[in-house]
Amino acid sequence: ELGKARFGEGKIDAGAAMASKKWKERGEVLDNMFLILMMEKDSPIKLPSGDYMSVMTDIKTLIKKDTNVLLIIKAFKIVKRMAEAMRENFKNFGPLIMQEILARFKEKKVSALEAAREAADAVAKTIKFPDAIIERVMECLEDKNPGVRSETMLFMYRCSKSKKVIFPKSFVKEFITKVTKNIEHSEKNVRDGAYKMLAVMSTKLDAKIINTFVSDFKEDRMKLYQAAVE
């Protein structure tokens, strides 16, 4: 089972291996999870119900602190696989792990960024989206790292396109205000992400509401916004 095997010369348990200073031991425990989850298969497996909190906490910590990009990519793939396997039973872990996935949107290595995107999208399907993570998303929209800002908006854009996704009125104003501010950012990727997010929101809100945020756009910005809507 996940977290039960022992690793390394000293045969330490999975939790200790995940926190080991030796990257090989950290890698070994992740590889073992790969095998248990049958990661090589394309179709999602089903995991039995159980207490996976300790395993997810260990993975969360690794994603947050590890400096080995290859191990972080493996961790993202495991999160994606577990989310797909557990489905709605993953909802208790989703917000916990999403905290660190969004933070890792700062990664510049393409393979790491792609793995982070896939993990985030998979987790979003298991939780009450966007309610369960909106506070963290709000923080990311003001993050000092432009990659975190742009990728968070692109993540929200991808996951919000479904007609099933509804944005509670309680945070619509604050959310759109933060998104709109990113249109003034110096990084083009951040600006592009903001326009895409506004375009999605325009399909979910009454025209009068969205117009209160975009009506003051200068001509060049209005054209970019309208292009994103189209």
Side-chain angles (χ1 to χ4, degrees):
E1 292 181 12
L2 290 175
K4 296 288 186 179
R6 304 182 77 80
F7 303 87
E9 296 175 1
K11 296 298 181 183
I12 55 180
D13 64 30
M18 200 88 77
S20 172
K21 292 182 179 180
K22 299 178 180 179
W23 70 266
K24 287 185 178 181
E25 290 188 341
R26 301 197 304 279
E28 190 177 348
V29 70
L30 292 173
D31 288 340
N32 187 69
M33 288 184 182
F34 263 67
L35 292 175
I36 294 173
L37 293 168
M38 295 185 292
M39 301 289 285
E40 73 279 3
K41 293 189 176 183
D42 293 330
S43 58
I45 65 168
K46 290 184 178 180
L47 283 177
S49 58
D51 184 7
Y52 296 94
M53 183 57 77
S54 61
V55 172
M56 293 311 303
T57 299
D58 290 337
I59 291 178
K60 169 182 175 289
T61 301
L62 187 145
I63 291 173
K64 180 179 181 178
K65 297 183 177 181
D66 214 297
T67 56
N68 187 314
V69 177
L70 294 179
L71 298 189
I72 293 170
I73 291 173
K74 288 183 179 182
F76 283 146
K77 290 182 177 180
I78 288 172
V79 169
K80 176 179 180 287
R81 196 60 158 177
M82 288 186 70
E84 292 172 340
M86 296 177 69
R87 301 170 192 176
E88 64 177 20
N89 290 327
F90 196 80
K91 63 184 178 182
N92 293 330
F93 315 113
L96 175 80
I97 205 74
M98 190 69 86
Q99 296 273 336
E100 307 310 331
I101 296 176
L102 295 179
R104 280 292 180 172
F105 277 155
K106 66 183 180 181
E107 293 294 334
K108 293 184 178 180
K109 190 176 180 66
V110 175
S111 55
L113 200 49
E114 288 180 347
R117 289 168 182 159
E118 291 181 3
D121 290 4
V123 172
K125 294 177 181 178
T126 71
I127 60 177
K128 187 176 182 181
F129 178 88
D131 311 47
I133 57 169
I134 195 64
E135 290 184 10
R136 178 66 181 128
V137 166
M138 297 282 201
E139 294 173 354
C140 290
L141 294 182
E142 296 179 316
D143 197 275
K144 63 182 180 180
N145 187 296
V148 172
R149 291 193 187 206
S150 62
E151 288 295 332
T152 296
M153 284 186 285
L154 290 175
F155 157 68
M156 292 294 290
Y157 166 74
R158 292 191 301 273
C159 298
S160 299
K161 288 190 288 186
S162 170
K163 292 181 179 180
K164 295 180 181 179
V165 175
I166 299 173
F167 280 75
K169 294 180 180 179
S170 58
F171 59 69
V172 163
K173 182 178 180 180
E174 182 182 0
F175 176 70
I176 300 184
T177 298
K178 289 182 184 294
V179 170
T180 304
K181 284 184 178 179
N182 278 295
I183 286 174
E184 303 171 5
H185 200 277
S186 59
E187 292 279 344
K188 184 178 184 299
N189 287 344
V190 177
R191 299 195 300 271
D192 289 347
Y195 282 121
K196 286 188 175 183
M197 193 64 237
L198 281 176
V200 167
M201 296 303 290
S202 72
T203 67
K204 296 182 175 296
L205 301 174
D206 185 278
K208 290 182 179 179
I209 297 176
I210 200 72
N211 283 338
T212 61
F213 295 94
V214 304
S215 59
D216 291 335
F217 281 1
K218 292 182 179 179
E219 184 178 355
D220 57 338
R221 289 182 177 176
M222 184 58 77
K223 285 182 178 180
L224 289 170
Y225 165 67
Q226 292 174 338
V229 172
E230 296 172 0

